[in-house]
Amino acid sequence: MGGAWQNWGRTEAVRPRLVERPATVEAVQRAVEAAARAGMRVKPVGAGHSFSGIAVAPDVLLVLDDLSDVAEVDRERRRVRLLAGTRLHQIPGLLAPFGLAMQNLGDVDRQSISGAISTGTHGTGARFGGIATQVVGATLVTASGDLLTVDETQNSELLPAVAPGLGALGVLVDLTLQCVPAFVLHAVEHPEPLADVLTSLDERAAKPDHFEFYWFPHTDIALTKTNTRLPGDYRAVCATGVAIPGIVPTFSRLAVKLTGNREYTDASTGVFVQNRNVRFKEMEYALPAENVRPAFEAMRALIDERGWKISFPVEVRFAAADDLWMSTAYGRESGYIAVHRYWREDHTEYFEAVEQIMLSFGGRPHWGKMHTLDASILRDRYPKFDDFTALRDRLDPDRRFQNDYLARVLGD
Ligand SMILES: Cc1cc2nc3c(=O)[nH]c(=O)nc-3n(C[C@H](O)[C@H](O)[C@H](O)COP(=O)(O)OP(=O)(O)OC[C@H]3O[C@@H](n4cnc5c(N)ncnc54)[C@H](O)[C@@H]3O)c2cc1C
């Protein structure tokens, strides 16, 4: 009998029948084979940072924390093979000796690399894809217990399907990422009138490397964050810091607290990643980039009209189009609108009403965040949906990796 499991957002909980902690690829294979013999389902879980039920493991929960490290580095091509349980916060330290970094990241780094790429975790930047676009190879244990290698030389036609794979195709045991030379980011954060931000949104999203904004409901203020990529590692930039005015904070810490004004330069991870100390629930929809402004304005009007008291900001980000079958940015330049609620508050009315607006603007829900859609609606929103479910039928005919969430969103 295993212990109880709950996700970070406290929106999902389960008591798995068995918790396994395989430390080798062979042990993962044995765990999948044993589950098959016992007629049980299997689910690897990362950091439990999904708000949706995607990681719920009622039968066998696989903890892959002991499968974490760099397995191989191709310095010439800047590619790194990581074991599947590696957490994002471990990766900068693992890449540093090779002068490499991940191209883009989301807001936090607690997730496992496998969990992050399985749900389509993304950051912001209209010229940059989500984290799954960095995947150039993967090895999975499929439902038969066999190893399946997917990369540019083996089963390359499956590369756009394995990430984001929603945990539906098998247990990832390693992932190869295309990295970039280590870089620093110059960050400018300040509050601005929301109207100004919306009027120039297309330009703001397109021009800088990474742009996002937070809007505080019931106010006319947006906190904008604009990050510019600079070559070189942090020490090198510090050495030339005199030449880069942004490296000197322009406001005192007190001013930051009071106004949100901040300008600084740091290693890429230090800028991308924030602390999230207050627990919340979240729903996020991807939209065609040109629909972000009208969808945002409709959502704002709704919040004003309904009189809800929303204490958490709305976050707006952007990403490049990609060709990954189950990516929220598949085939279209995308913008993301995320709504949050304090974890103890009832989110239902707010999220469902916002969801209807997002759907009317062509929205696709983040696989790891709360939403109410099922396969009947999602099929029309993903041109490669049937290809993905056909691949799942082939790799997992008995639904060894199924749970209620996957049955709902992929159908059965
Ligand atoms: C505070 C917070 C901040 C967040 N910020 C962002 C953000 O900035 N951008 C964004 O897009 N999302 C964000 N998210 C969502 C989060 O990145 C995703 O939900 C992500 O999937 C969580 O990773 P995890 O390791 O916790 O995976 P889990 O939630 O544990 O699992 C997610 C899925 O991955 C599967 N999985 C895990 N390991 C494997 C494996 N080895 N093989 C196959 N499948 C596997 C699981 O079975 C499950 O289906 C945030 C979430 C929180 C709580």
Side-chain angles (χ1 to χ4, degrees):
M1 190 68 152
W5 173 93
Q6 58 186 352
N7 65 347
W8 183 90
R10 304 291 186 263
T11 51
E12 301 287 341
V14 70
R15 185 172 287 277
R17 291 166 69 186
L18 192 65
V19 177
E20 296 246 31
R21 207 182 158 103
T24 62
V25 172
E26 295 71 30
V28 173
Q29 292 178 284
R30 283 197 298 275
V32 171
E33 286 161 2
R37 280 195 300 275
M40 293 200 283
R41 290 164 297 163
V42 184
K43 194 131 285 289
V45 171
H49 268 45
S50 296
F51 299 90
S52 68
I54 194 165
V56 172
D59 289 351
V60 182
L61 185 162
L62 291 186
V63 176
L64 298 187
D65 292 356
D66 294 338
L67 262 185
S68 76
D69 207 345
V70 170
E72 202 179 342
V73 180
D74 178 344
R75 285 174 184 251
E76 209 168 296
R77 296 207 292 173
R78 301 190 178 114
R79 291 182 171 186
V80 177
R81 188 157 65 86
L82 294 168
L83 298 181
T86 308
R87 300 290 171 111
L88 297 183
H89 63 84
Q90 297 176 299
I91 297 178
L94 295 172
L95 298 186
F98 309 102
L100 297 174
M102 287 176 69
Q103 188 196 48
N104 200 3
L105 278 169
D107 284 346
V108 301
D109 61 3
R110 299 296 99 186
Q111 309 93 315
S112 65
I113 184 63
S114 298
I117 60 102
S118 293
T119 63
T121 295
H122 63 91
T124 193
R127 290 188 296 280
F128 300 93
I131 298 178
T133 64
Q134 300 169 30
V135 175
V136 291
T139 310
L140 295 105
V141 173
T142 63
S144 58
D146 295 323
L147 287 181
L148 174 71
T149 301
V150 178
D151 59 26
E152 63 194 6
T153 58
Q154 300 174 75
N155 304 302
S156 58
E157 74 284 1
L158 302 185
L159 253 184
V162 292
L166 317 189
L169 304 179
V171 182
L172 292 159
V173 287
D174 68 45
L175 287 161
T176 303
L177 300 185
Q178 179 65 58
C179 299
V180 297
F183 62 102
V184 294
L185 283 169
H186 176 60
V188 179
E189 301 175 3
H190 58 103
E192 297 183 65
L194 177 66
D196 292 356
V197 174
L198 291 178
T199 311
S200 55
L201 191 58
D202 291 348
E203 199 182 328
R204 284 169 186 259
K207 269 198 182 163
D209 292 322
H210 306 275
F211 172 77
E212 69 179 296
F213 77 89
Y214 292 89
W215 170 59
F216 298 87
H218 323 298
T219 75
D220 296 324
I221 302 295
L223 177 66
T224 59
K225 299 176 76 170
T226 309
N227 297 333
T228 305
R229 298 164 85 97
L230 303 172
D233 65 30
Y234 184 55
R235 259 179 310 162
V237 170
C238 282
T240 57
V242 256
I244 303 170
I247 202 145
V248 182
T250 49
F251 292 87
S252 71
R253 280 182 188 280
L254 182 63
V256 171
K257 276 195 187 141
L258 292 177
T259 66
N261 270 305
R262 206 151 70 118
E263 188 170 349
Y264 62 103
T265 302
D266 199 351
S268 56
T269 323
V271 176
F272 284 136
V273 169
Q274 319 283 315
N275 285 329
R276 290 284 183 267
N277 299 324
V278 182
R279 203 178 297 284
F280 56 82
K281 302 185 257 194
E282 181 173 350
M283 179 181 76
E284 184 178 50
Y285 264 82
L287 303 164
E290 65 275 14
N291 287 356
V292 169
R293 183 176 169 183
F296 183 92
E297 281 170 342
M299 179 200 63
R300 187 182 186 205
L302 176 89
I303 292 174
D304 287 348
E305 181 193 306
R306 295 291 182 91
W308 300 310
K309 295 279 169 282
I310 311 294
S311 51
F312 271 79
V314 173
E315 187 178 15
V316 177
R317 294 183 277 183
F318 296 88
D322 64 46
D323 60 358
L324 308 178
W325 295 0
M326 301 306 274
S327 166
T328 49
Y330 178 87
R332 64 192 201 190
E333 305 295 326
S334 298
Y336 292 84
I337 298 183
V339 292
H340 310 78
R341 270 221 112 146
Y342 182 57
W343 71 291
R344 289 185 187 281
E345 282 173 352
D346 183 7
H347 64 279
T348 323
E349 201 184 327
Y350 176 39
F351 283 13
E352 286 187 4
V354 172
E355 183 169 55
Q356 289 312 311
I357 292 173
M358 298 304 146
L359 290 176
S360 71
F361 284 96
R364 294 173 180 159
H366 189 305
W367 297 110
K369 301 188 183 177
M370 298 169 82
H371 69 93
T372 67
L373 304 196
D374 64 21
S376 67
I377 303 174
L378 289 160
R379 173 170 283 110
D380 293 339
R381 288 172 189 254
Y382 284 86
K384 290 287 194 179
F385 190 94
D386 288 333
D387 297 270
F388 186 80
T389 53
L391 179 62
R392 180 176 69 138
D393 287 344
R394 177 152 77 80
L395 296 179
D396 186 16
D398 299 328
R399 302 291 185 260
R400 190 68 51 219
F401 305 114
Q402 180 89 297
N403 61 12
D404 288 351
Y405 178 85
L406 289 185
R408 188 184 106 207
V409 300
L410 296 177
D412 211 6

